[in-house]
Amino acid sequence: MTKLMFKRKALIAWVALVAISVMPFTALAQTQIKYHNNRYSPQDDVKLGRQAAQEAESQFPLLRDETVRGYVESVGRRLVAAIPSEFQHPEFQYYFKVVNASDINAFALPGGPMYVNRGMIEAAHTEGEMAGVMAHELSHVALRHGTAQATKGQKYGVLAGIAGIAGTIFGGPGVGQLAQAPFAVYLLKFSREYETEADVLGAQIMARAGYDPRDLANMFRTIEQQGGGGGGFLSDHPSPSDRYARINREAQQLRVNADTRSDSREFARIQERLRGYQRAPSMAEIQRSGQRYPVGETTGNSPSNNYPNNPPTGRVAYPSSRYESYSIFNGGVSVRVPNNRRQVNEGNSVWFVPEGAYGQYNGQAVYTHGASFGVAQTNSRNLQSASQELINSLGQGNNNLRSNGGFQRTTMSGRNALFATLSNINEATGRPETVRVITTQLRNGQLFYMIAVAPQNERNFENAFQTILQSVRIND
Ligand SMILES: [Zn+2]
């Protein structure tokens, strides 16, 4: 680790020198990008990414070929060294691995880990095209988009933030169940704004690293030519043609660093080497074979992924009368849920939802039916004011959310709890819905909550809601 850091510093110093010598030409009209508001530290990004990387590696098959991995790493290092100094973080630990999957994709996690699909290397026409996708993903990392997005808050994902993600809520080692949470940060698409920033900074990094930034734009064409096989990368907003134009516009303002040259033969040799392997499975095939499939802004070309890109339909099966036990939050909580519900992790909250009840709308996770659990770090240690904080934070992302009266007393897992009923208009279906919020406190003072959502006119979810609530056991 230390060794790597040392090497990187040397590279950065070298690049800084180069950058100074070309500054008068390159820095003239390129788009200035700024960080978004972020209440996490760069060290939080590192922790988050490390846990997510563990999760990712338990889910996909890595290509165990040191020649290919080493090659991708060398391209990655060259790009990392070209990240503008204001977006460099000494804490970050960039590394690069190859996933043996055919989809044209790559993704990077907060703090540095990057995974490049074999399909992306095979599809690219040039090293520059491959580097383009990597530069785009690196830009999300350097701009700290994952934690910036978490700062903005996710629908019903709320306050818990890094305390829930990287910390140890229940005094356990903070891995296990919770390790799934960080990856879920990437379940959501980034906003159009973030995507454009990653394209623009990606183009700037390309130029600084000696690649033609137009290769990033070209990669969109390449993916389209290949039948849109990289759906995920293309399905981001803005549309590929907008992105193509935007990147090329930026490229006109950039001067490609002429001190670094690519050896196109090396890229050809790597592609040749990959052709020698048997066909890589697709992410969908990996999922069907029993390995779970993480979905993110960079994936999504699989119709069978576990987090749909489309909005929920709201047409769902009634709760089954048979219940199944789940242990969540690293064993800190157990709960019984109808057996036709599935677990979906979003941010730090865990949802139990029927098919058809969850999806994405305007880049946000939206649920029409379901129950979720989470832990919030609140300013107040008083149950009522802490609960009010939680409800206020829910209102931030949901303009139509209205409180129907105040809190009622109840119990959850044998402790004092508060119960509030809210009404909302579902973003995806436009239908009125009832949101029930039940809160209690953990021994460490954090707020534990259950949130249940169902359309207002569907009363038959009431029994399931009561049964789930009564089944909650907190072992903190
Ligand atoms: Zn992106």
Side-chain angles (χ1 to χ4, degrees):
M1 206 74 78
T2 324
K3 238 184 188 168
L4 265 181
M5 292 292 286
F6 177 75
K7 259 163 92 182
R8 223 187 107 218
K9 275 197 182 127
L11 267 175
I12 290 165
W14 179 80
V15 164
L17 269 177
V18 172
I20 288 163
S21 64
V22 296
M23 192 72 91
F25 306 99
T26 56
L28 283 177
Q30 69 176 44
T31 307
Q32 296 298 313
I33 293 173
K34 292 200 177 72
Y35 286 111
H36 292 268
N37 182 28
N38 197 320
R39 64 184 152 98
Y40 302 107
S41 69
Q43 197 54 50
D44 289 331
D45 283 49
V46 172
K47 279 188 214 159
L48 187 69
R50 198 177 287 151
Q51 289 191 339
Q54 259 181 24
E55 173 74 2
E57 289 185 27
S58 72
Q59 299 189 6
F60 336 100
L62 295 179
L63 183 73
R64 310 273 174 200
D65 181 324
E66 203 34 46
T67 304
V68 176
R69 198 206 62 77
Y71 165 72
V72 171
E73 170 103 21
S74 70
V75 172
R77 293 269 148 227
R78 186 169 151 190
L79 295 169
V80 165
I83 296 172
S85 58
E86 65 269 36
F87 301 122
Q88 288 191 4
H89 308 281
E91 300 89 343
F92 283 15
Q93 292 152 21
Y94 290 97
Y95 64 78
F96 302 84
K97 294 187 179 180
V98 178
V99 177
N100 192 32
S102 61
D103 314 58
I104 307 174
N105 248 318
F107 69 92
L109 297 170
M114 185 185 291
Y115 296 85
V116 174
N117 275 8
R118 179 182 148 195
M120 206 268 281
I121 309 170
E122 289 174 317
H125 289 125
T126 61
E127 179 178 292
E129 288 191 359
M130 177 187 88
V133 173
M134 292 171 70
H136 170 97
E137 292 300 323
L138 269 185
S139 300
H140 281 308
V141 176
L143 292 168
R144 305 185 56 220
H145 279 164
T147 44
Q149 179 137 309
T151 300
K152 282 201 295 191
Q154 294 160 337
K155 183 177 167 70
Y156 305 138
V158 293
L159 301 168
I162 220 80
I165 295 172
T168 52
I169 293 174
F170 291 100
V175 290
Q177 190 69 44
L178 260 187
Q180 292 181 7
F183 205 78
V185 167
Y186 277 70
L187 291 182
L188 297 180
K189 280 185 184 177
F190 286 125
S191 67
R192 187 189 177 103
E193 186 188 9
Y194 286 14
E195 286 309 327
T196 304
E197 284 175 4
D199 283 344
V200 168
L201 183 61
Q204 295 174 1
I205 290 173
M206 291 278 282
R208 291 167 57 105
Y211 290 107
D212 185 339
R214 289 171 301 185
D215 276 347
L216 167 54
N218 292 338
M219 189 63 187
F220 290 125
R221 291 276 157 94
T222 299
I223 296 170
E224 275 178 324
Q225 282 160 10
Q226 312 235 351
F233 203 77
L234 286 190
S235 66
D236 299 338
H237 299 287
S239 71
S241 61
D242 288 350
R243 297 177 74 174
Y244 184 87
R246 180 68 186 89
I247 293 163
N248 283 327
R249 209 161 61 240
E250 187 71 19
Q252 288 170 3
Q253 311 298 332
L254 299 170
R255 202 175 101 141
V256 178
N257 177 1
D259 297 343
T260 335
R261 288 253 173 260
S262 296
D263 178 358
S264 60
R265 284 167 310 177
E266 196 182 1
F267 180 67
R269 272 196 299 272
I270 292 295
Q271 285 193 321
E272 183 62 43
R273 189 178 172 92
L274 288 175
R275 278 193 288 274
Y277 285 105
Q278 79 184 106
R279 192 184 70 85
S282 68
M283 287 293 202
E285 286 167 338
I286 294 166
Q287 184 197 24
R288 281 197 293 275
S289 73
Q291 278 179 286
R292 282 167 305 146
Y293 168 37
V295 191
E297 61 114 2
T298 55
T299 52
N301 59 335
S302 154
S304 58
N305 62 42
N306 61 13
Y307 201 94
N309 273 322
N310 45 306
T313 60
R315 289 187 294 277
V316 307
Y318 291 143
S320 160
S321 57
R322 298 180 63 161
Y323 279 68
E324 202 175 320
S325 289
Y326 286 85
S327 168
I328 55 178
F329 298 122
N330 202 23
V333 174
S334 70
V335 61
R336 290 174 62 75
V337 183
N339 69 0
N340 58 349
R341 270 45 185 158
R342 65 188 293 175
Q343 180 178 343
V344 175
N345 299 319
E346 186 209 341
N348 323 305
S349 55
V350 176
W351 280 83
F352 293 98
V353 286
E355 290 303 332
Y358 63 111
Q360 294 185 36
Y361 184 75
N362 276 346
Q364 269 205 319
V366 174
Y367 303 83
T368 60
H369 300 71
S372 83
F373 297 90
V375 177
Q377 180 72 58
T378 53
N379 293 317
S380 173
R381 294 229 158 182
N382 170 281
L383 177 58
Q384 178 147 351
S385 25
S387 304
Q388 192 58 53
E389 271 183 55
L390 174 74
I391 286 172
N392 294 346
S393 79
L394 294 178
Q396 281 169 17
N398 302 278
N399 294 334
N400 296 311
L401 196 71
R402 300 280 174 272
S403 177
N404 303 338
F407 292 107
Q408 293 168 32
R409 293 190 176 284
T410 181
T411 59
M412 178 156 54
S413 190
R415 10 186 130 184
N416 289 332
L418 293 176
F419 179 17
T421 308
L422 314 169
S423 59
N424 189 36
I425 306 293
N426 190 274
E427 294 77 357
T429 63
R431 292 164 67 191
E433 63 186 7
T434 304
V435 181
R436 296 176 171 89
V437 181
I438 300 91
T439 47
T440 192
Q441 274 169 319
L442 300 177
R443 288 189 206 289
N444 66 8
Q446 288 180 317
L447 193 70
F448 178 76
Y449 62 84
M450 170 177 172
I451 294 174
V453 182
Q456 232 163 62
N457 57 356
E458 294 184 19
R459 305 245 170 237
N460 43 2
F461 293 93
E462 186 65 30
N463 281 343
F465 162 68
Q466 290 295 345
T467 309
I468 296 170
L469 174 59
Q470 280 158 26
S471 76
V472 174
R473 293 291 172 270
I474 302 171
N475 327 293
D476 58 335

PDB file of all heavy atoms in Angstrom, residues 233-256:
ATOM      1  N   PHE A 233     -24.176   2.060 -19.971  1.00  0.00           N
ATOM      2  CA  PHE A 233     -23.376   3.256 -20.167  1.00  0.00           C
ATOM      3  C   PHE A 233     -24.143   4.260 -21.022  1.00  0.00           C
ATOM      4  O   PHE A 233     -24.050   5.453 -20.829  1.00  0.00           O
ATOM      5  CB  PHE A 233     -22.045   2.889 -20.820  1.00  0.00           C
ATOM      6  CG  PHE A 233     -21.010   3.913 -20.539  1.00  0.00           C
ATOM      7  CD1 PHE A 233     -20.397   3.953 -19.303  1.00  0.00           C
ATOM      8  CD2 PHE A 233     -20.677   4.866 -21.482  1.00  0.00           C
ATOM      9  CE1 PHE A 233     -19.464   4.931 -19.019  1.00  0.00           C
ATOM     10  CE2 PHE A 233     -19.738   5.836 -21.204  1.00  0.00           C
ATOM     11  CZ  PHE A 233     -19.132   5.876 -19.966  1.00  0.00           C
ATOM     12  N   LEU A 234     -24.936   3.741 -21.957  1.00  0.00           N
ATOM     13  CA  LEU A 234     -25.696   4.629 -22.837  1.00  0.00           C
ATOM     14  C   LEU A 234     -27.009   5.080 -22.221  1.00  0.00           C
ATOM     15  O   LEU A 234     -27.554   6.097 -22.613  1.00  0.00           O
ATOM     16  CB  LEU A 234     -26.000   3.915 -24.151  1.00  0.00           C
ATOM     17  CG  LEU A 234     -24.827   3.758 -25.094  1.00  0.00           C
ATOM     18  CD1 LEU A 234     -25.325   3.256 -26.427  1.00  0.00           C
ATOM     19  CD2 LEU A 234     -24.109   5.074 -25.273  1.00  0.00           C
ATOM     20  N   SER A 235     -27.540   4.291 -21.315  1.00  0.00           N
ATOM     21  CA  SER A 235     -28.881   4.610 -20.843  1.00  0.00           C
ATOM     22  C   SER A 235     -28.862   5.785 -19.860  1.00  0.00           C
ATOM     23  O   SER A 235     -29.896   6.276 -19.456  1.00  0.00           O
ATOM     24  CB  SER A 235     -29.524   3.393 -20.184  1.00  0.00           C
ATOM     25  OG  SER A 235     -28.822   3.063 -19.013  1.00  0.00           O
ATOM     26  N   ASP A 236     -27.675   6.228 -19.486  1.00  0.00           N
ATOM     27  CA  ASP A 236     -27.589   7.435 -18.662  1.00  0.00           C
ATOM     28  C   ASP A 236     -28.129   8.629 -19.429  1.00  0.00           C
ATOM     29  O   ASP A 236     -28.029   8.697 -20.631  1.00  0.00           O
ATOM     30  CB  ASP A 236     -26.120   7.770 -18.335  1.00  0.00           C
ATOM     31  CG  ASP A 236     -25.460   6.664 -17.573  1.00  0.00           C
ATOM     32  OD1 ASP A 236     -26.173   5.873 -16.953  1.00  0.00           O
ATOM     33  OD2 ASP A 236     -24.219   6.609 -17.606  1.00  0.00           O
ATOM     34  N   HIS A 237     -28.637   9.587 -18.680  1.00  0.00           N
ATOM     35  CA  HIS A 237     -28.910  10.876 -19.305  1.00  0.00           C
ATOM     36  C   HIS A 237     -27.637  11.687 -19.219  1.00  0.00           C
ATOM     37  O   HIS A 237     -26.871  11.492 -18.311  1.00  0.00           O
ATOM     38  CB  HIS A 237     -30.021  11.614 -18.557  1.00  0.00           C
ATOM     39  CG  HIS A 237     -31.293  10.863 -18.576  1.00  0.00           C
ATOM     40  ND1 HIS A 237     -32.078  10.757 -19.686  1.00  0.00           N
ATOM     41  CD2 HIS A 237     -31.917  10.175 -17.600  1.00  0.00           C
ATOM     42  CE1 HIS A 237     -33.137  10.032 -19.396  1.00  0.00           C
ATOM     43  NE2 HIS A 237     -33.074   9.659 -18.144  1.00  0.00           N
ATOM     44  N   PRO A 238     -27.379  12.618 -20.057  1.00  0.00           N
ATOM     45  CA  PRO A 238     -28.134  12.932 -21.255  1.00  0.00           C
ATOM     46  C   PRO A 238     -27.954  11.881 -22.332  1.00  0.00           C
ATOM     47  O   PRO A 238     -27.161  10.968 -22.197  1.00  0.00           O
ATOM     48  CB  PRO A 238     -27.525  14.260 -21.694  1.00  0.00           C
ATOM     49  CG  PRO A 238     -26.177  14.299 -21.091  1.00  0.00           C
ATOM     50  CD  PRO A 238     -26.226  13.474 -19.855  1.00  0.00           C
ATOM     51  N   SER A 239     -28.693  12.008 -23.401  1.00  0.00           N
ATOM     52  CA  SER A 239     -28.695  10.999 -24.452  1.00  0.00           C
ATOM     53  C   SER A 239     -27.319  10.930 -25.098  1.00  0.00           C
ATOM     54  O   SER A 239     -26.579  11.903 -25.102  1.00  0.00           O
ATOM     55  CB  SER A 239     -29.739  11.341 -25.500  1.00  0.00           C
ATOM     56  OG  SER A 239     -29.291  12.458 -26.225  1.00  0.00           O
ATOM     57  N   PRO A 240     -26.977   9.786 -25.680  1.00  0.00           N
ATOM     58  CA  PRO A 240     -25.648   9.624 -26.269  1.00  0.00           C
ATOM     59  C   PRO A 240     -25.303  10.733 -27.250  1.00  0.00           C
ATOM     60  O   PRO A 240     -24.182  11.212 -27.257  1.00  0.00           O
ATOM     61  CB  PRO A 240     -25.742   8.278 -26.964  1.00  0.00           C
ATOM     62  CG  PRO A 240     -26.781   7.543 -26.224  1.00  0.00           C
ATOM     63  CD  PRO A 240     -27.768   8.570 -25.744  1.00  0.00           C
ATOM     64  N   SER A 241     -26.262  11.178 -28.075  1.00  0.00           N
ATOM     65  CA  SER A 241     -25.897  12.182 -29.070  1.00  0.00           C
ATOM     66  C   SER A 241     -25.567  13.520 -28.399  1.00  0.00           C
ATOM     67  O   SER A 241     -24.645  14.213 -28.811  1.00  0.00           O
ATOM     68  CB  SER A 241     -27.000  12.342 -30.116  1.00  0.00           C
ATOM     69  OG  SER A 241     -28.176  12.760 -29.486  1.00  0.00           O
ATOM     70  N   ASP A 242     -26.301  13.856 -27.330  1.00  0.00           N
ATOM     71  CA  ASP A 242     -25.960  15.063 -26.562  1.00  0.00           C
ATOM     72  C   ASP A 242     -24.558  14.935 -25.985  1.00  0.00           C
ATOM     73  O   ASP A 242     -23.769  15.879 -26.009  1.00  0.00           O
ATOM     74  CB  ASP A 242     -26.905  15.245 -25.355  1.00  0.00           C
ATOM     75  CG  ASP A 242     -28.287  15.662 -25.785  1.00  0.00           C
ATOM     76  OD1 ASP A 242     -28.452  15.988 -26.967  1.00  0.00           O
ATOM     77  OD2 ASP A 242     -29.191  15.643 -24.931  1.00  0.00           O
ATOM     78  N   ARG A 243     -24.296  13.767 -25.454  1.00  0.00           N
ATOM     79  CA  ARG A 243     -23.005  13.571 -24.796  1.00  0.00           C
ATOM     80  C   ARG A 243     -21.887  13.627 -25.829  1.00  0.00           C
ATOM     81  O   ARG A 243     -20.832  14.200 -25.575  1.00  0.00           O
ATOM     82  CB  ARG A 243     -23.006  12.231 -24.054  1.00  0.00           C
ATOM     83  CG  ARG A 243     -24.033  12.201 -22.941  1.00  0.00           C
ATOM     84  CD  ARG A 243     -24.085  10.868 -22.244  1.00  0.00           C
ATOM     85  NE  ARG A 243     -22.934  10.661 -21.365  1.00  0.00           N
ATOM     86  CZ  ARG A 243     -22.828   9.601 -20.568  1.00  0.00           C
ATOM     87  NH1 ARG A 243     -23.764   8.673 -20.543  1.00  0.00           N
ATOM     88  NH2 ARG A 243     -21.780   9.473 -19.788  1.00  0.00           N
ATOM     89  N   TYR A 244     -22.134  13.007 -26.955  1.00  0.00           N
ATOM     90  CA  TYR A 244     -21.152  12.993 -28.039  1.00  0.00           C
ATOM     91  C   TYR A 244     -20.782  14.430 -28.411  1.00  0.00           C
ATOM     92  O   TYR A 244     -19.615  14.807 -28.483  1.00  0.00           O
ATOM     93  CB  TYR A 244     -21.775  12.254 -29.227  1.00  0.00           C
ATOM     94  CG  TYR A 244     -20.865  12.056 -30.393  1.00  0.00           C
ATOM     95  CD1 TYR A 244     -20.017  10.958 -30.461  1.00  0.00           C
ATOM     96  CD2 TYR A 244     -20.870  12.954 -31.459  1.00  0.00           C
ATOM     97  CE1 TYR A 244     -19.182  10.766 -31.545  1.00  0.00           C
ATOM     98  CE2 TYR A 244     -20.042  12.768 -32.550  1.00  0.00           C
ATOM     99  CZ  TYR A 244     -19.199  11.677 -32.585  1.00  0.00           C
ATOM    100  OH  TYR A 244     -18.370  11.489 -33.663  1.00  0.00           O
ATOM    101  N   ALA A 245     -21.828  15.245 -28.587  1.00  0.00           N
ATOM    102  CA  ALA A 245     -21.601  16.638 -28.987  1.00  0.00           C
ATOM    103  C   ALA A 245     -20.894  17.420 -27.884  1.00  0.00           C
ATOM    104  O   ALA A 245     -19.980  18.203 -28.137  1.00  0.00           O
ATOM    105  CB  ALA A 245     -22.938  17.289 -29.328  1.00  0.00           C
ATOM    106  N   ARG A 246     -21.332  17.182 -26.644  1.00  0.00           N
ATOM    107  CA  ARG A 246     -20.762  17.945 -25.525  1.00  0.00           C
ATOM    108  C   ARG A 246     -19.270  17.645 -25.357  1.00  0.00           C
ATOM    109  O   ARG A 246     -18.465  18.545 -25.121  1.00  0.00           O
ATOM    110  CB  ARG A 246     -21.531  17.594 -24.230  1.00  0.00           C
ATOM    111  CG  ARG A 246     -21.023  18.320 -22.984  1.00  0.00           C
ATOM    112  CD  ARG A 246     -21.312  19.816 -23.055  1.00  0.00           C
ATOM    113  NE  ARG A 246     -20.721  20.562 -21.952  1.00  0.00           N
ATOM    114  CZ  ARG A 246     -19.493  21.087 -21.971  1.00  0.00           C
ATOM    115  NH1 ARG A 246     -18.707  20.922 -23.025  1.00  0.00           N
ATOM    116  NH2 ARG A 246     -19.047  21.777 -20.935  1.00  0.00           N
ATOM    117  N   ILE A 247     -18.927  16.374 -25.466  1.00  0.00           N
ATOM    118  CA  ILE A 247     -17.519  15.982 -25.295  1.00  0.00           C
ATOM    119  C   ILE A 247     -16.677  16.561 -26.426  1.00  0.00           C
ATOM    120  O   ILE A 247     -15.588  17.087 -26.200  1.00  0.00           O
ATOM    121  CB  ILE A 247     -17.392  14.439 -25.244  1.00  0.00           C
ATOM    122  CG1 ILE A 247     -18.052  13.907 -23.964  1.00  0.00           C
ATOM    123  CG2 ILE A 247     -15.932  14.011 -25.306  1.00  0.00           C
ATOM    124  CD1 ILE A 247     -18.346  12.431 -24.006  1.00  0.00           C
ATOM    125  N   ASN A 248     -17.208  16.497 -27.633  1.00  0.00           N
ATOM    126  CA  ASN A 248     -16.446  17.044 -28.758  1.00  0.00           C
ATOM    127  C   ASN A 248     -16.276  18.556 -28.658  1.00  0.00           C
ATOM    128  O   ASN A 248     -15.252  19.107 -29.052  1.00  0.00           O
ATOM    129  CB  ASN A 248     -17.085  16.645 -30.087  1.00  0.00           C
ATOM    130  CG  ASN A 248     -16.759  15.200 -30.436  1.00  0.00           C
ATOM    131  OD1 ASN A 248     -15.675  14.713 -30.106  1.00  0.00           O
ATOM    132  ND2 ASN A 248     -17.687  14.502 -31.060  1.00  0.00           N
ATOM    133  N   ARG A 249     -17.285  19.208 -28.087  1.00  0.00           N
ATOM    134  CA  ARG A 249     -17.170  20.657 -27.885  1.00  0.00           C
ATOM    135  C   ARG A 249     -16.046  20.942 -26.889  1.00  0.00           C
ATOM    136  O   ARG A 249     -15.214  21.822 -27.089  1.00  0.00           O
ATOM    137  CB  ARG A 249     -18.509  21.193 -27.365  1.00  0.00           C
ATOM    138  CG  ARG A 249     -18.763  22.627 -27.751  1.00  0.00           C
ATOM    139  CD  ARG A 249     -20.236  23.026 -27.651  1.00  0.00           C
ATOM    140  NE  ARG A 249     -20.778  22.919 -26.316  1.00  0.00           N
ATOM    141  CZ  ARG A 249     -21.810  22.133 -26.013  1.00  0.00           C
ATOM    142  NH1 ARG A 249     -22.389  21.395 -26.937  1.00  0.00           N
ATOM    143  NH2 ARG A 249     -22.266  22.096 -24.776  1.00  0.00           N
ATOM    144  N   GLU A 250     -16.027  20.157 -25.807  1.00  0.00           N
ATOM    145  CA  GLU A 250     -14.976  20.331 -24.804  1.00  0.00           C
ATOM    146  C   GLU A 250     -13.612  20.033 -25.431  1.00  0.00           C
ATOM    147  O   GLU A 250     -12.632  20.738 -25.159  1.00  0.00           O
ATOM    148  CB  GLU A 250     -15.229  19.408 -23.596  1.00  0.00           C
ATOM    149  CG  GLU A 250     -14.300  19.631 -22.419  1.00  0.00           C
ATOM    150  CD  GLU A 250     -14.568  20.948 -21.686  1.00  0.00           C
ATOM    151  OE1 GLU A 250     -15.676  21.506 -21.850  1.00  0.00           O
ATOM    152  OE2 GLU A 250     -13.668  21.409 -20.953  1.00  0.00           O
ATOM    153  N   ALA A 251     -13.580  19.018 -26.270  1.00  0.00           N
ATOM    154  CA  ALA A 251     -12.305  18.591 -26.867  1.00  0.00           C
ATOM    155  C   ALA A 251     -11.662  19.725 -27.670  1.00  0.00           C
ATOM    156  O   ALA A 251     -10.443  19.842 -27.730  1.00  0.00           O
ATOM    157  CB  ALA A 251     -12.533  17.364 -27.759  1.00  0.00           C
ATOM    158  N   GLN A 252     -12.510  20.579 -28.271  1.00  0.00           N
ATOM    159  CA  GLN A 252     -11.972  21.694 -29.059  1.00  0.00           C
ATOM    160  C   GLN A 252     -11.192  22.680 -28.194  1.00  0.00           C
ATOM    161  O   GLN A 252     -10.382  23.443 -28.684  1.00  0.00           O
ATOM    162  CB  GLN A 252     -13.111  22.433 -29.776  1.00  0.00           C
ATOM    163  CG  GLN A 252     -13.687  21.616 -30.917  1.00  0.00           C
ATOM    164  CD  GLN A 252     -14.966  22.221 -31.477  1.00  0.00           C
ATOM    165  OE1 GLN A 252     -15.385  23.293 -31.039  1.00  0.00           O
ATOM    166  NE2 GLN A 252     -15.568  21.540 -32.428  1.00  0.00           N
ATOM    167  N   GLN A 253     -11.518  22.685 -26.892  1.00  0.00           N
ATOM    168  CA  GLN A 253     -10.842  23.623 -25.983  1.00  0.00           C
ATOM    169  C   GLN A 253      -9.583  23.004 -25.361  1.00  0.00           C
ATOM    170  O   GLN A 253      -8.908  23.646 -24.578  1.00  0.00           O
ATOM    171  CB  GLN A 253     -11.768  24.035 -24.827  1.00  0.00           C
ATOM    172  CG  GLN A 253     -13.156  24.478 -25.249  1.00  0.00           C
ATOM    173  CD  GLN A 253     -13.129  25.708 -26.124  1.00  0.00           C
ATOM    174  OE1 GLN A 253     -12.218  26.526 -26.033  1.00  0.00           O
ATOM    175  NE2 GLN A 253     -14.121  25.837 -26.996  1.00  0.00           N
ATOM    176  N   LEU A 254      -9.351  21.757 -25.652  1.00  0.00           N
ATOM    177  CA  LEU A 254      -8.270  21.055 -24.961  1.00  0.00           C
ATOM    178  C   LEU A 254      -7.106  20.795 -25.901  1.00  0.00           C
ATOM    179  O   LEU A 254      -7.305  20.569 -27.102  1.00  0.00           O
ATOM    180  CB  LEU A 254      -8.795  19.715 -24.415  1.00  0.00           C
ATOM    181  CG  LEU A 254      -9.931  19.812 -23.403  1.00  0.00           C
ATOM    182  CD1 LEU A 254     -10.512  18.425 -23.129  1.00  0.00           C
ATOM    183  CD2 LEU A 254      -9.445  20.445 -22.100  1.00  0.00           C
ATOM    184  N   ARG A 255      -5.927  20.836 -25.327  1.00  0.00           N
ATOM    185  CA  ARG A 255      -4.764  20.469 -26.103  1.00  0.00           C
ATOM    186  C   ARG A 255      -4.255  19.137 -25.570  1.00  0.00           C
ATOM    187  O   ARG A 255      -4.012  18.995 -24.373  1.00  0.00           O
ATOM    188  CB  ARG A 255      -3.679  21.531 -25.957  1.00  0.00           C
ATOM    189  CG  ARG A 255      -2.690  21.505 -27.097  1.00  0.00           C
ATOM    190  CD  ARG A 255      -1.730  22.646 -26.953  1.00  0.00           C
ATOM    191  NE  ARG A 255      -0.488  22.135 -26.391  1.00  0.00           N
ATOM    192  CZ  ARG A 255       0.693  22.569 -26.803  1.00  0.00           C
ATOM    193  NH1 ARG A 255       0.776  23.495 -27.728  1.00  0.00           N
ATOM    194  NH2 ARG A 255       1.794  22.089 -26.261  1.00  0.00           N
ATOM    195  N   VAL A 256      -4.113  18.193 -26.465  1.00  0.00           N
ATOM    196  CA  VAL A 256      -3.670  16.864 -26.033  1.00  0.00           C
ATOM    197  C   VAL A 256      -2.185  16.917 -25.700  1.00  0.00           C
ATOM    198  O   VAL A 256      -1.380  17.395 -26.497  1.00  0.00           O
ATOM    199  CB  VAL A 256      -3.934  15.813 -27.131  1.00  0.00           C
ATOM    200  CG1 VAL A 256      -3.416  14.448 -26.696  1.00  0.00           C
ATOM    201  CG2 VAL A 256      -5.418  15.756 -27.453  1.00  0.00           C
TER     202      VAL A 256
END
